[in-house]
Amino acid sequence: QKEVEQDPGPLSVPEGAIVSLNCTYSNSAFQYFMWYRQYSRKGPELLMYTYSSGNKEDGRFTAQVDKSSKYISLFIRDSQPSDSATYLCAMINFGNEKLTFGTGTRLTIIP
Amino acid sequence: GAVVSQHPSWVICKSGTSVKIECRSLDFQATTMFWYRQFPKQSLMLMATSNEGSKATYEQGVEKDKFLINHASLTLSTLTVTSAHPEDSSFYICSVNPGQGNYGYTFGSGTRLTVV
């Protein structure tokens, strides 16, 4: 079993819809959680960075962490075609420098 | 967050030659940088951790003599693919650890290597 599980998709939604992306994990030591957006042939871009359980909002993006369920989510409101990309969750535990990534979810926003 | 510059963005080389990829931290001093490899439609695979002033730490299965890493300054790490072969063709990405308890790692724009 992988430490971090993420549905690879692809996921297609109409423009303006709310998108929900999710990851589950097995290592209870993970404390820091990130979401990255990666466009084709580009490096990952950090979208959200959260510590422990709770919600964090930044514009149209909301990151949610539920440590009791080992489940994290990224919500995108009012989705735009420019949001079409691969979204990667990543996590790390305190004292460890290495990120553990999910496999990424390919998202397409249909105009 | 940190600003990371990676160069070149793409390179084509002949089989048997060596290629050097640069990763620069533009706005802060990075004691630690990371090198990843990504195959099409797959996630990032950590190759090695680059430490300023000391030897890199390689992940299991990564040939240290093939993928030479040099982190000679706090703003520059280089990855040299030696004696490249077609199977080394991939997307290589560097990442910077901002440090000071900030785990929002920043990535370079990546280098697409094609070995012919």
Side-chain angles (χ1 to χ4, degrees):
Chain A
Q1 181 188 6
K2 294 181 181 178
E3 278 193 294
V4 179
E5 298 280 357
Q6 184 177 8
D7 187 340
L11 177 64
S12 296
V13 300
E15 182 176 356
I18 297 175
V19 176
S20 174
L21 304 165
N22 311 292
C23 288
T24 59
Y25 62 94
S26 57
N27 186 349
S28 58
F30 287 138
Q31 292 179 299
Y32 299 89
F33 306 90
M34 304 83 170
W35 285 95
Y36 288 88
R37 176 175 64 193
Q38 186 177 24
Y39 292 113
S40 181
R41 302 185 181 185
K42 297 291 184 182
E45 172 193 5
L46 179 65
L47 285 176
M48 303 286 287
Y49 159 49
T50 56
Y51 169 71
S52 199
S53 287
N55 292 356
K56 184 176 182 179
E57 187 174 323
D58 185 0
R60 296 185 295 112
F61 299 92
T62 299
Q64 194 172 80
V65 174
D66 182 349
K67 291 195 71 180
S68 62
S69 302
K70 298 190 180 65
Y71 189 89
I72 68 170
S73 300
L74 177 71
F75 298 97
I76 307 174
R77 293 184 299 279
D78 187 25
S79 55
Q80 306 293 313
S82 59
D83 295 328
S84 299
T86 295
Y87 289 79
L88 297 145
C89 65
M91 44 200 79
I92 196 168
N93 47 293
F94 181 75
N96 188 343
E97 292 185 303
K98 301 178 185 178
L99 290 175
T100 300
F101 281 94
T103 52
T105 300
R106 292 185 64 194
L107 172 67
T108 300
I109 306 299
I110 304 167
Chain B
V3 179
V4 179
S5 173
Q6 189 172 340
H7 178 81
S9 56
W10 61 271
V11 58
I12 300 173
C13 72
K14 291 185 177 181
S15 189
T17 62
S18 296
V19 173
K20 180 183 285 188
I21 302 170
E22 293 187 347
C23 180
R24 293 183 183 274
S25 174
L26 299 184
D27 57 351
F28 88 111
Q29 296 179 327
T31 56
T32 305
M33 295 185 182
F34 302 90
W35 287 96
Y36 292 85
R37 183 174 183 176
Q38 187 177 35
F39 291 104
K41 298 184 180 181
Q42 294 189 23
S43 191
L44 286 75
M45 182 192 78
L46 180 65
M47 299 175 65
T49 302
S50 172
N51 304 296
E52 188 269 335
S54 63
K55 290 183 179 180
T57 304
Y58 290 82
E59 295 300 301
Q60 190 174 10
V62 178
E63 300 176 60
K64 62 180 181 181
D65 295 329
K66 183 167 188 60
F67 299 100
L68 299 179
I69 292 172
N70 185 291
H71 193 155
S73 78
L74 289 172
T75 59
L76 174 64
S77 176
T78 61
L79 168 67
T80 301
V81 183
T82 62
S83 186
H85 291 281
E87 57 265 31
D88 298 324
S89 298
S90 189
F91 193 55
Y92 293 88
I93 316 171
C94 68
S95 174
V96 168
N97 176 355
Q100 297 182 334
N102 182 354
Y103 289 90
Y105 290 18
T106 305
F107 286 79
S109 55
T111 298
R112 182 161 302 280
L113 170 64
T114 301
V115 184
V116 298

